[in-house]
Amino acid sequence: MTTSSEPSAHPTARGSLACVGMGMTLGSHLTPLARSHIEHADVIFAALSDGVVEMWLRRLHPDVRSLQPYYAEGKSRMKTYRQWVDLMITEVRAGKRVCAVFYGHPGIFAWSPHKVIEVARAEGFEAHMEPGISAEDCLYADLGIDPGRFGCQHFEASQLLLYERRIDSTGYLVLWQVGIVGDRSLARLHTGPEYRQVLVDVLSRDYSLDHEVIIYRGVTLPIDKPRVRRVALRDLPGTEVTTQETVVLPPAMPLKPNLIVRERLDELDKASVA
């Protein structure tokens, strides 16, 4: 991050880019370093989860440009994300210190930050990503899950349908963007119960239809509480799931000891003692 005191309009100014995470909960998740990037930028681009959060950000900087208006029903999200990249890199090329602020972690389920950093670095500009507290971090805390206990798999829900993936039902399974599962156009803001039924049919190969499914949404405002719903897998198609919610399937089977590897390790232990 540059510390130059020269105004950004100076003809010799060199543009730079920082993509930072706001975290999930307003105010409490913003790190000091991310805040410093915001306060020292010439222009801010914001893709945030709530209009209130955006209003709060405007108290930190006078030039905050929202990226949310570029979304539209029927418009490919990839087209929107490419527009975001064009907007940000244009200001960098103009010699501005640009800070792009994204809710949660700027590198998780976020194509544009990775892409604009790639473009900026390829053109010789300084570009940096500053992590933030993500929905995944909040999920572990709110649901009391330790991913190191049984292991944890994460899949984007549509990817699980469109590709042959292997599920390990002895660990946790976390499914992202179930609210738009099955959307191949990247233009829909939600899909219906018939699409979630396809997801259930795929999951039923590894889980019983009675298996518990947790539908989770984290907190974005300090006055809110996490939203946690529990339903049977068979009931998921008829349960409304928003794009802000994440679906978690707890382990369905106990861990099975690998006797062959254990015997091999026993032999190594004996040899080391000898």
Side-chain angles (χ1 to χ4, degrees):
M1 180 177 59
T2 180
T3 58
S4 172
S5 59
E6 293 184 55
S8 59
H10 195 284
T12 61
R14 181 67 172 166
S16 64
L17 171 70
C19 292
V20 308
M22 176 68 83
M24 296 305 297
T25 304
L26 174 61
S28 60
H29 287 175
L30 185 65
T31 68
L33 190 52
R35 184 175 185 130
S36 177
H37 280 292
I38 292 170
E39 292 175 341
H40 289 87
D42 295 315
V43 58
I44 304 292
F45 289 98
L48 301 174
S49 58
D50 192 289
V52 175
V53 181
E54 190 172 301
M55 290 174 59
W56 184 87
L57 179 61
R58 293 181 187 278
R59 295 169 56 185
L60 297 182
H61 199 282
D63 189 358
V64 175
R65 306 177 191 181
S66 178
L67 294 171
Q68 293 296 342
Y70 292 89
Y71 281 119
E73 180 77 46
K75 176 183 177 182
S76 170
R77 289 186 294 279
M78 185 53 65
K79 182 177 181 179
T80 296
Y81 300 152
R82 292 187 186 280
Q83 287 178 317
W84 290 5
V85 171
D86 289 341
L87 290 166
M88 292 183 282
I89 197 64
T90 295
E91 295 298 329
V92 173
R93 290 167 179 159
K96 302 287 185 66
R97 291 171 295 184
V98 176
C99 181
V101 185
F102 297 84
Y103 70 90
H105 189 300
I108 297 179
F109 283 95
W111 182 87
S112 298
H114 288 291
K115 186 61 178 180
V116 72
I117 287 175
E118 175 189 332
V119 172
R121 288 176 175 171
E123 296 183 11
F125 296 104
E126 179 185 349
H128 170 73
M129 180 177 288
E130 187 62 31
I133 294 177
S134 69
E136 177 186 350
D137 301 315
C138 297
L139 182 150
Y140 291 145
D142 292 333
L143 298 184
I145 293 174
D146 179 356
R149 186 179 181 190
F150 300 115
C152 191
Q153 287 182 297
H154 293 257
F155 292 110
E156 197 276 334
S158 293
Q159 187 184 92
L160 186 64
L161 299 186
L162 297 173
Y163 298 91
E164 295 182 4
R165 307 302 302 267
R166 182 177 297 178
I167 294 175
D168 179 0
S169 61
T170 64
Y172 288 94
L173 177 65
V174 181
L175 300 177
W176 300 91
Q177 299 182 330
V178 171
I180 51 173
V181 65
D183 173 34
R184 292 176 291 173
S185 69
L186 298 180
R188 302 174 68 174
L189 302 182
H190 60 84
T191 52
E194 63 275 14
Y195 288 86
R196 292 192 292 278
Q197 183 62 57
V198 177
L199 176 63
V200 168
D201 291 344
V202 171
L203 292 173
S204 66
R205 302 169 188 167
D206 297 281
Y207 300 89
S208 76
L209 292 176
D210 294 325
H211 191 71
E212 179 183 77
V213 171
I214 304 170
I215 303 171
Y216 166 80
R217 178 174 179 173
V219 170
T220 56
L221 300 178
I223 60 174
D224 293 337
K225 292 183 178 180
R227 185 184 187 190
V228 180
R229 294 180 287 160
R230 301 174 189 270
V231 301
L233 179 60
R234 70 172 75 252
D235 297 326
L236 184 60
T239 304
E240 189 65 28
V241 181
T242 69
T243 54
Q244 293 79 31
E245 291 178 304
T246 304
V247 170
V248 180
L249 280 74
M253 298 175 63
L255 293 171
K256 183 179 179 180
N258 188 326
L259 299 180
I260 295 177
V261 171
R262 289 182 180 221
E263 290 177 1
R264 183 178 176 184
L265 292 175
D266 286 341
E267 293 298 322
L268 290 174
D269 290 341
K270 292 176 183 177
S272 64
V273 172

